[in-house]
Amino acid sequence: VNRMGKQTITELPNILTEGIDYDNTLAEMKAIIENNPNWKENWTSFYNSEAGSLLTQLMAWISDNLATKQDIIFNEMFIGTAQADKNKIRHLNQIGYSPTMAKSAKGKMHIETNNISQTDVILTPRRDVEEDISERVNNIFKFNGTDINGDTKIYEILQYKNGKPDYMSEVSLIAGQTEFEADTNGNTIYAYEGRTTYEEFYSDTSDGPTFELALDNIEDGSIRVYDTSNNNIEFNNVSSFVSIEAKDSSTTVPYVLEYTVNKTYRIRFATRGVMTYSGKVNYDRLYPAGHTIGVLYRTTNGSLGNSPIGFLTSTSTVKNRNGDSIQVTLRSSVACLSGSNQEALSDAVLNAPLSL
């Protein structure tokens, strides 16, 4: 109501859906005041020393901060606009996508011995039934080699089957020869950049326990999980707990691998709820509570492990089946290639939607 007793309605501008910052908010409040005759007559000026100016500037500042926070929160809700790495990873997990893991460089090896052995020469011995799985880390043949930058890297010689390292198998050289490019089974001998690591975990619950691996730069396909409390039975890595394979009682207990917001990998076993169907909890698909698990996996330097031909050279002393010491000289007969880095998070957020 103005001084003449007539009612005056303040005309408010349309609500802004963008550009809500300090300057625009302050300008709108000034325009509202100037467009109302009652307020305009009672408002002396917009000097910074005025209490009214203080209030309008304070409200503009609050609005600017709230709008900025809203923008940030809104952007973090979508994989294409999220800025925080932890939120990018959460979005990737929601659609079941993990960044592609690193791959080890590998080089074909030419091996010579200092004399002829009457029995096979053992590089990496087969796992003995009584051998603790943790001992495989030290029993796998390893040597120092030079990478493409001239830096020293560790290389291991072991068998791979179906794209996964076979930590338990033997790599040996046939008796009666001094030069080798294949093992006793006729398999080409490769050296793989990186090293094998062992970790052990325990849980007293069967309802979805998780175990986070300590190291990063893990080689793709190298994680293998064993029930050390039950004859070292290997658990079954599946893509999802709702897959047919995960529910197949003829296979061992399933687990999935997850990429965490800490940028590490985590082993997750199923919850009771996931493994309940037809009103029955299928305990044979759950982690065996009270058991200890052993995890073998390899870490790698990815592309840094690649090197030209002849860069991998080493001399070591090993044993033959009689326990005699044999000196072996190793040299890469071709370039050491195939090493690649883990997929960058910036690439993963672009590739993940395309994979759906």
PDB file of all heavy atoms in Angstrom, residues 272-293:
ATOM      1  N   ARG A 272      24.075 -62.725   1.188  1.00  0.00           N
ATOM      2  CA  ARG A 272      23.038 -63.750   1.277  1.00  0.00           C
ATOM      3  C   ARG A 272      21.832 -63.385   0.422  1.00  0.00           C
ATOM      4  O   ARG A 272      21.199 -64.250  -0.195  1.00  0.00           O
ATOM      5  CB  ARG A 272      22.613 -63.930   2.735  1.00  0.00           C
ATOM      6  CG  ARG A 272      23.703 -64.506   3.623  1.00  0.00           C
ATOM      7  CD  ARG A 272      23.241 -64.653   5.050  1.00  0.00           C
ATOM      8  NE  ARG A 272      24.334 -65.083   5.919  1.00  0.00           N
ATOM      9  CZ  ARG A 272      24.233 -65.248   7.231  1.00  0.00           C
ATOM     10  NH1 ARG A 272      23.065 -65.019   7.829  1.00  0.00           N
ATOM     11  NH2 ARG A 272      25.284 -65.644   7.940  1.00  0.00           N
ATOM     12  N   GLY A 273      21.524 -62.078   0.397  1.00  0.00           N
ATOM     13  CA  GLY A 273      20.377 -61.638  -0.383  1.00  0.00           C
ATOM     14  C   GLY A 273      20.526 -61.942  -1.860  1.00  0.00           C
ATOM     15  O   GLY A 273      19.576 -62.384  -2.515  1.00  0.00           O
ATOM     16  N   VAL A 274      21.716 -61.722  -2.387  1.00  0.00           N
ATOM     17  CA  VAL A 274      21.953 -61.979  -3.804  1.00  0.00           C
ATOM     18  C   VAL A 274      21.852 -63.469  -4.108  1.00  0.00           C
ATOM     19  O   VAL A 274      21.355 -63.877  -5.166  1.00  0.00           O
ATOM     20  CB  VAL A 274      23.349 -61.447  -4.218  1.00  0.00           C
ATOM     21  CG1 VAL A 274      23.701 -61.889  -5.634  1.00  0.00           C
ATOM     22  CG2 VAL A 274      23.383 -59.928  -4.123  1.00  0.00           C
ATOM     23  N   MET A 275      22.315 -64.301  -3.179  1.00  0.00           N
ATOM     24  CA  MET A 275      22.313 -65.740  -3.405  1.00  0.00           C
ATOM     25  C   MET A 275      21.092 -66.431  -2.795  1.00  0.00           C
ATOM     26  O   MET A 275      21.130 -67.623  -2.517  1.00  0.00           O
ATOM     27  CB  MET A 275      23.601 -66.354  -2.850  1.00  0.00           C
ATOM     28  CG  MET A 275      24.824 -66.001  -3.682  1.00  0.00           C
ATOM     29  SD  MET A 275      24.609 -66.512  -5.418  1.00  0.00           S
ATOM     30  CE  MET A 275      26.043 -65.739  -6.175  1.00  0.00           C
ATOM     31  N   THR A 276      20.035 -65.678  -2.602  1.00  0.00           N
ATOM     32  CA  THR A 276      18.760 -66.249  -2.162  1.00  0.00           C
ATOM     33  C   THR A 276      17.808 -66.278  -3.354  1.00  0.00           C
ATOM     34  O   THR A 276      17.466 -65.237  -3.915  1.00  0.00           O
ATOM     35  CB  THR A 276      18.134 -65.428  -1.027  1.00  0.00           C
ATOM     36  OG1 THR A 276      19.004 -65.433   0.104  1.00  0.00           O
ATOM     37  CG2 THR A 276      16.786 -66.008  -0.616  1.00  0.00           C
ATOM     38  N   TYR A 277      17.416 -67.451  -3.779  1.00  0.00           N
ATOM     39  CA  TYR A 277      16.424 -67.574  -4.836  1.00  0.00           C
ATOM     40  C   TYR A 277      15.548 -68.779  -4.545  1.00  0.00           C
ATOM     41  O   TYR A 277      15.986 -69.740  -3.924  1.00  0.00           O
ATOM     42  CB  TYR A 277      17.063 -67.661  -6.236  1.00  0.00           C
ATOM     43  CG  TYR A 277      18.415 -68.314  -6.315  1.00  0.00           C
ATOM     44  CD1 TYR A 277      18.557 -69.652  -6.649  1.00  0.00           C
ATOM     45  CD2 TYR A 277      19.566 -67.573  -6.072  1.00  0.00           C
ATOM     46  CE1 TYR A 277      19.793 -70.240  -6.747  1.00  0.00           C
ATOM     47  CE2 TYR A 277      20.825 -68.156  -6.158  1.00  0.00           C
ATOM     48  CZ  TYR A 277      20.926 -69.493  -6.504  1.00  0.00           C
ATOM     49  OH  TYR A 277      22.173 -70.071  -6.593  1.00  0.00           O
ATOM     50  N   SER A 278      14.308 -68.636  -4.956  1.00  0.00           N
ATOM     51  CA  SER A 278      13.264 -69.621  -4.630  1.00  0.00           C
ATOM     52  C   SER A 278      13.102 -69.742  -3.111  1.00  0.00           C
ATOM     53  O   SER A 278      12.797 -70.821  -2.588  1.00  0.00           O
ATOM     54  CB  SER A 278      13.589 -70.996  -5.238  1.00  0.00           C
ATOM     55  OG  SER A 278      13.681 -70.900  -6.638  1.00  0.00           O
ATOM     56  N   GLY A 279      13.351 -68.617  -2.417  1.00  0.00           N
ATOM     57  CA  GLY A 279      13.163 -68.575  -0.970  1.00  0.00           C
ATOM     58  C   GLY A 279      14.228 -69.298  -0.178  1.00  0.00           C
ATOM     59  O   GLY A 279      14.080 -69.496   1.032  1.00  0.00           O
ATOM     60  N   LYS A 280      15.327 -69.664  -0.807  1.00  0.00           N
ATOM     61  CA  LYS A 280      16.371 -70.432  -0.135  1.00  0.00           C
ATOM     62  C   LYS A 280      17.725 -69.755  -0.292  1.00  0.00           C
ATOM     63  O   LYS A 280      18.094 -69.329  -1.379  1.00  0.00           O
ATOM     64  CB  LYS A 280      16.430 -71.847  -0.722  1.00  0.00           C
ATOM     65  CG  LYS A 280      17.541 -72.722  -0.158  1.00  0.00           C
ATOM     66  CD  LYS A 280      17.595 -74.057  -0.883  1.00  0.00           C
ATOM     67  CE  LYS A 280      18.762 -74.902  -0.397  1.00  0.00           C
ATOM     68  NZ  LYS A 280      18.857 -76.196  -1.143  1.00  0.00           N
ATOM     69  N   VAL A 281      18.456 -69.675   0.839  1.00  0.00           N
ATOM     70  CA  VAL A 281      19.820 -69.142   0.798  1.00  0.00           C
ATOM     71  C   VAL A 281      20.760 -70.258   0.339  1.00  0.00           C
ATOM     72  O   VAL A 281      20.822 -71.318   0.957  1.00  0.00           O
ATOM     73  CB  VAL A 281      20.274 -68.619   2.174  1.00  0.00           C
ATOM     74  CG1 VAL A 281      21.707 -68.095   2.092  1.00  0.00           C
ATOM     75  CG2 VAL A 281      19.342 -67.520   2.663  1.00  0.00           C
ATOM     76  N   ASN A 282      21.477 -69.999  -0.743  1.00  0.00           N
ATOM     77  CA  ASN A 282      22.407 -71.000  -1.281  1.00  0.00           C
ATOM     78  C   ASN A 282      23.790 -70.761  -0.671  1.00  0.00           C
ATOM     79  O   ASN A 282      24.626 -70.039  -1.222  1.00  0.00           O
ATOM     80  CB  ASN A 282      22.449 -70.909  -2.806  1.00  0.00           C
ATOM     81  CG  ASN A 282      21.156 -71.380  -3.434  1.00  0.00           C
ATOM     82  OD1 ASN A 282      21.004 -72.539  -3.792  1.00  0.00           O
ATOM     83  ND2 ASN A 282      20.202 -70.461  -3.564  1.00  0.00           N
ATOM     84  N   TYR A 283      24.010 -71.378   0.475  1.00  0.00           N
ATOM     85  CA  TYR A 283      25.236 -71.143   1.223  1.00  0.00           C
ATOM     86  C   TYR A 283      26.486 -71.619   0.476  1.00  0.00           C
ATOM     87  O   TYR A 283      27.590 -71.126   0.736  1.00  0.00           O
ATOM     88  CB  TYR A 283      25.154 -71.820   2.589  1.00  0.00           C
ATOM     89  CG  TYR A 283      24.199 -71.137   3.532  1.00  0.00           C
ATOM     90  CD1 TYR A 283      22.899 -71.609   3.716  1.00  0.00           C
ATOM     91  CD2 TYR A 283      24.588 -70.002   4.235  1.00  0.00           C
ATOM     92  CE1 TYR A 283      22.012 -70.969   4.565  1.00  0.00           C
ATOM     93  CE2 TYR A 283      23.715 -69.355   5.090  1.00  0.00           C
ATOM     94  CZ  TYR A 283      22.426 -69.841   5.255  1.00  0.00           C
ATOM     95  OH  TYR A 283      21.550 -69.201   6.102  1.00  0.00           O
ATOM     96  N   ASP A 284      26.315 -72.550  -0.458  1.00  0.00           N
ATOM     97  CA  ASP A 284      27.478 -73.039  -1.204  1.00  0.00           C
ATOM     98  C   ASP A 284      27.999 -71.996  -2.191  1.00  0.00           C
ATOM     99  O   ASP A 284      29.064 -72.171  -2.783  1.00  0.00           O
ATOM    100  CB  ASP A 284      27.141 -74.332  -1.947  1.00  0.00           C
ATOM    101  CG  ASP A 284      26.087 -74.125  -3.020  1.00  0.00           C
ATOM    102  OD1 ASP A 284      25.188 -73.287  -2.815  1.00  0.00           O
ATOM    103  OD2 ASP A 284      26.152 -74.800  -4.062  1.00  0.00           O
ATOM    104  N   ARG A 285      27.259 -70.893  -2.373  1.00  0.00           N
ATOM    105  CA  ARG A 285      27.700 -69.815  -3.263  1.00  0.00           C
ATOM    106  C   ARG A 285      28.268 -68.642  -2.468  1.00  0.00           C
ATOM    107  O   ARG A 285      28.596 -67.597  -3.038  1.00  0.00           O
ATOM    108  CB  ARG A 285      26.552 -69.300  -4.149  1.00  0.00           C
ATOM    109  CG  ARG A 285      25.712 -70.351  -4.826  1.00  0.00           C
ATOM    110  CD  ARG A 285      26.530 -71.433  -5.502  1.00  0.00           C
ATOM    111  NE  ARG A 285      27.353 -70.931  -6.587  1.00  0.00           N
ATOM    112  CZ  ARG A 285      28.518 -71.452  -6.946  1.00  0.00           C
ATOM    113  NH1 ARG A 285      29.038 -72.479  -6.282  1.00  0.00           N
ATOM    114  NH2 ARG A 285      29.188 -70.947  -7.942  1.00  0.00           N
ATOM    115  N   LEU A 286      28.372 -68.798  -1.135  1.00  0.00           N
ATOM    116  CA  LEU A 286      28.853 -67.721  -0.265  1.00  0.00           C
ATOM    117  C   LEU A 286      30.262 -68.010   0.244  1.00  0.00           C
ATOM    118  O   LEU A 286      30.709 -69.160   0.284  1.00  0.00           O
ATOM    119  CB  LEU A 286      27.910 -67.537   0.927  1.00  0.00           C
ATOM    120  CG  LEU A 286      26.460 -67.194   0.622  1.00  0.00           C
ATOM    121  CD1 LEU A 286      25.660 -67.109   1.910  1.00  0.00           C
ATOM    122  CD2 LEU A 286      26.358 -65.880  -0.153  1.00  0.00           C
ATOM    123  N   TYR A 287      30.932 -66.954   0.643  1.00  0.00           N
ATOM    124  CA  TYR A 287      32.263 -67.083   1.231  1.00  0.00           C
ATOM    125  C   TYR A 287      32.187 -67.975   2.471  1.00  0.00           C
ATOM    126  O   TYR A 287      31.310 -67.798   3.321  1.00  0.00           O
ATOM    127  CB  TYR A 287      32.783 -65.699   1.618  1.00  0.00           C
ATOM    128  CG  TYR A 287      34.135 -65.704   2.299  1.00  0.00           C
ATOM    129  CD1 TYR A 287      35.299 -65.693   1.558  1.00  0.00           C
ATOM    130  CD2 TYR A 287      34.227 -65.720   3.692  1.00  0.00           C
ATOM    131  CE1 TYR A 287      36.543 -65.687   2.184  1.00  0.00           C
ATOM    132  CE2 TYR A 287      35.466 -65.719   4.317  1.00  0.00           C
ATOM    133  CZ  TYR A 287      36.615 -65.704   3.557  1.00  0.00           C
ATOM    134  OH  TYR A 287      37.839 -65.705   4.185  1.00  0.00           O
ATOM    135  N   PRO A 288      33.098 -68.926   2.612  1.00  0.00           N
ATOM    136  CA  PRO A 288      33.076 -69.812   3.790  1.00  0.00           C
ATOM    137  C   PRO A 288      33.599 -69.078   5.028  1.00  0.00           C
ATOM    138  O   PRO A 288      34.813 -68.874   5.168  1.00  0.00           O
ATOM    139  CB  PRO A 288      34.004 -70.964   3.376  1.00  0.00           C
ATOM    140  CG  PRO A 288      34.912 -70.375   2.345  1.00  0.00           C
ATOM    141  CD  PRO A 288      34.122 -69.324   1.633  1.00  0.00           C
ATOM    142  N   ALA A 289      32.704 -68.655   5.876  1.00  0.00           N
ATOM    143  CA  ALA A 289      33.069 -67.885   7.068  1.00  0.00           C
ATOM    144  C   ALA A 289      34.110 -68.621   7.895  1.00  0.00           C
ATOM    145  O   ALA A 289      34.048 -69.842   8.067  1.00  0.00           O
ATOM    146  CB  ALA A 289      31.824 -67.605   7.904  1.00  0.00           C
ATOM    147  N   GLY A 290      35.072 -67.868   8.412  1.00  0.00           N
ATOM    148  CA  GLY A 290      36.119 -68.447   9.236  1.00  0.00           C
ATOM    149  C   GLY A 290      37.296 -68.987   8.453  1.00  0.00           C
ATOM    150  O   GLY A 290      38.261 -69.467   9.050  1.00  0.00           O
ATOM    151  N   HIS A 291      37.238 -68.887   7.144  1.00  0.00           N
ATOM    152  CA  HIS A 291      38.334 -69.368   6.312  1.00  0.00           C
ATOM    153  C   HIS A 291      39.307 -68.226   5.986  1.00  0.00           C
ATOM    154  O   HIS A 291      38.949 -67.052   6.013  1.00  0.00           O
ATOM    155  CB  HIS A 291      37.812 -69.962   5.003  1.00  0.00           C
ATOM    156  CG  HIS A 291      37.228 -71.330   5.164  1.00  0.00           C
ATOM    157  ND1 HIS A 291      37.306 -72.297   4.175  1.00  0.00           N
ATOM    158  CD2 HIS A 291      36.565 -71.909   6.202  1.00  0.00           C
ATOM    159  CE1 HIS A 291      36.706 -73.396   4.587  1.00  0.00           C
ATOM    160  NE2 HIS A 291      36.240 -73.182   5.813  1.00  0.00           N
ATOM    161  N   THR A 292      40.526 -68.604   5.660  1.00  0.00           N
ATOM    162  CA  THR A 292      41.542 -67.658   5.211  1.00  0.00           C
ATOM    163  C   THR A 292      41.729 -67.821   3.715  1.00  0.00           C
ATOM    164  O   THR A 292      41.748 -68.943   3.200  1.00  0.00           O
ATOM    165  CB  THR A 292      42.882 -67.908   5.932  1.00  0.00           C
ATOM    166  OG1 THR A 292      42.698 -67.723   7.336  1.00  0.00           O
ATOM    167  CG2 THR A 292      43.959 -66.950   5.439  1.00  0.00           C
ATOM    168  N   ILE A 293      41.837 -66.713   3.008  1.00  0.00           N
ATOM    169  CA  ILE A 293      42.083 -66.788   1.566  1.00  0.00           C
ATOM    170  C   ILE A 293      43.463 -66.219   1.253  1.00  0.00           C
ATOM    171  O   ILE A 293      43.946 -65.303   1.918  1.00  0.00           O
ATOM    172  CB  ILE A 293      41.008 -66.045   0.743  1.00  0.00           C
ATOM    173  CG1 ILE A 293      41.050 -64.526   1.013  1.00  0.00           C
ATOM    174  CG2 ILE A 293      39.632 -66.602   1.008  1.00  0.00           C
ATOM    175  CD1 ILE A 293      40.193 -63.724   0.049  1.00  0.00           C
TER     176      ILE A 293
END
